[in-house]
Structure formats: structure tokens, C-alpha cells
């Protein structure tokens, strides 16, 4: 919650997000703003993979969702842009860069993908789309927050250490 407050982002809890994803009256766009090393370990199904430094408004799938579900106003469904990273810092920061008229539809996943994993949310390998029981914990300190005994926390980086946030 501290990260969201710092960047003025509103939040959604993992169980509530799972409900919204399954709700036929809600259009959800999931955005994963972690580094590729993290995303390659696992991601939430159907998430758009974006670099943490990318401008969300320059990502085609994000602008298409905004045009179709928010700007066109041609659906009775409730639009939701759910953004996540490992624990919430980078996703809250990404939300803060959205224009105000779009930011009101964006929610930070409280506790990030680690919270999602702890609450039994489905994780997939993005290359195979098969379910996996692992999540990238960013570093050893944050990986300690993985409390689900069925989930393995990974902290490997190609260059040996995590990038600076």
C-alpha cells in the first residue's frame, strides 16, 4: 500500500482481481511491468508484457483497449486496467504516468504477482502457456514474501543482479 500511496495509485487485492477477471460484465486488461527475466519465469494468464520503463500509452494493446473499452463507450461492461510487478513499486509508478482520464480505470495489484501467487492465483510460463508453480521474487529480500508453500521463488538474473528501480 505504501508504494501505491507514494504514486497516487489505487489498488486491487488478488482475490478481487481474480473475481473481476472471471466476471463477464468486466473487461480486464492485465499489464505486467516487470523485467523480461522476471516475466520469463511466470506471468498471470493473458497479461500484456511491458518493460517497466515503457510508456504504457505507447503500447498498442493498451491503446487498443483504451480506444475500444473506454473512449468508444460502446460497452456496458466495466473496464479495468490492472497493472502489476513483483510487489507494487514499478506498477504504481507506471499507473502514475497515465493520463488522469485513463488512470481512473487503472488499479495496482496490491503486493504484485507475489501476492497473486500467495493467494493461489494461476501462474503460467509465457512461452508454453502451461501452468507453473514458480514466481520471480525480484531479489532475495522480496522473495521472502512468497508464503505459498507450493510456489518456488526464483531470484536469478541474466546479468547476476536485479536492475535498479
Amino acid at each position: 500500500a505504501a508504494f501505491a500511496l507514494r504514486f497516487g495509485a489505487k489498488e486491487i487485492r488478488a482475490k478481487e482481481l481474480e473475481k473481476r477477471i472471471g466476471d463477464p460484465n468486466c473487461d480486464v486488461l492485465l499489464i505486467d511491468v516487470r523485467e523480461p527475466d522476471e516475466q520469463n519465469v511466470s506471468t498471470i494468464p493473458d497479461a500484456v508484457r511491458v518493460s517497466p520503463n515503457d510508456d504504457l500509452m505507447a503500447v498498442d494493446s493498451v491503446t487498443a483497449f483504451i480506444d475500444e473499452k473506454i473512449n468508444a463507450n460502446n460497452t456496458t461492461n466495466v473496464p479495468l486496467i490492472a497493472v502489476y510487478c513483483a510487489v507494487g513499486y514499478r506498477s504504481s509508478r507506471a499507473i502514475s504516468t497515465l493520463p488522469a482520464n485513463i488512470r481512473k480505470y487503472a488499479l495496482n495489484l496490491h503486493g504484485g504477482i507475489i501476492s497473486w501467487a500467495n493467494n493461489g492465483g494461476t501462474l503460467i510460463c509465457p512461452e508454453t502457456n502451461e501452468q507453473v508453480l514458480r514466481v520471480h521474487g525480484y531479489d532475495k529480500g522480496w522473495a521472502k514474501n512468497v508464503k505459498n508453500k507450493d510456489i518456488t521463488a526464483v531470484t536469478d538474473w541474466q546479468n547476476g543482479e536485479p536492475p535498479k528501480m
Side-chain angles (χ1 to χ4, degrees), residues 1-2 11-14 83 87-88 108-113 115-116:
E11 292 192 309
I12 188 168
R13 301 260 178 193
V83 186
V87 294
N108 178 57
L109 175 56
H110 177 84
I113 196 169
S115 175
W116 178 264

Side-chain angles (χ1 to χ4, degrees), residues 59-133:
V59 176
D60 290 343
S61 52
V62 175
T63 55
F65 181 87
I66 290 167
D67 288 344
E68 293 170 21
K69 307 296 182 183
I70 297 173
N71 292 341
N73 202 20
N74 63 0
T75 179
T76 58
N77 286 4
V78 176
L80 167 62
I81 301 170
V83 186
Y84 70 92
C85 61
V87 294
Y89 179 85
R90 293 169 289 174
S91 48
S92 293
R93 184 179 63 199
I95 288 171
S96 75
T97 67
L98 292 170
N101 65 319
I102 303 304
R103 191 169 43 241
K104 68 183 180 182
Y105 298 100
L107 296 175
N108 178 57
L109 175 56
H110 177 84
I113 196 169
I114 290 176
S115 175
W116 178 264
N118 284 340
N119 282 280
T122 301
L123 298 169
I124 62 165
C125 170
E127 298 213 356
T128 65
N129 284 328
E130 292 178 7
Q131 188 170 349
V132 295
L133 296 173

Side-chain angles (χ1 to χ4, degrees), residues 37 40 156-161:
D37 283 355
N40 291 337
D156 298 334
W157 291 91
Q158 279 189 339
N159 69 355
E161 61 183 59

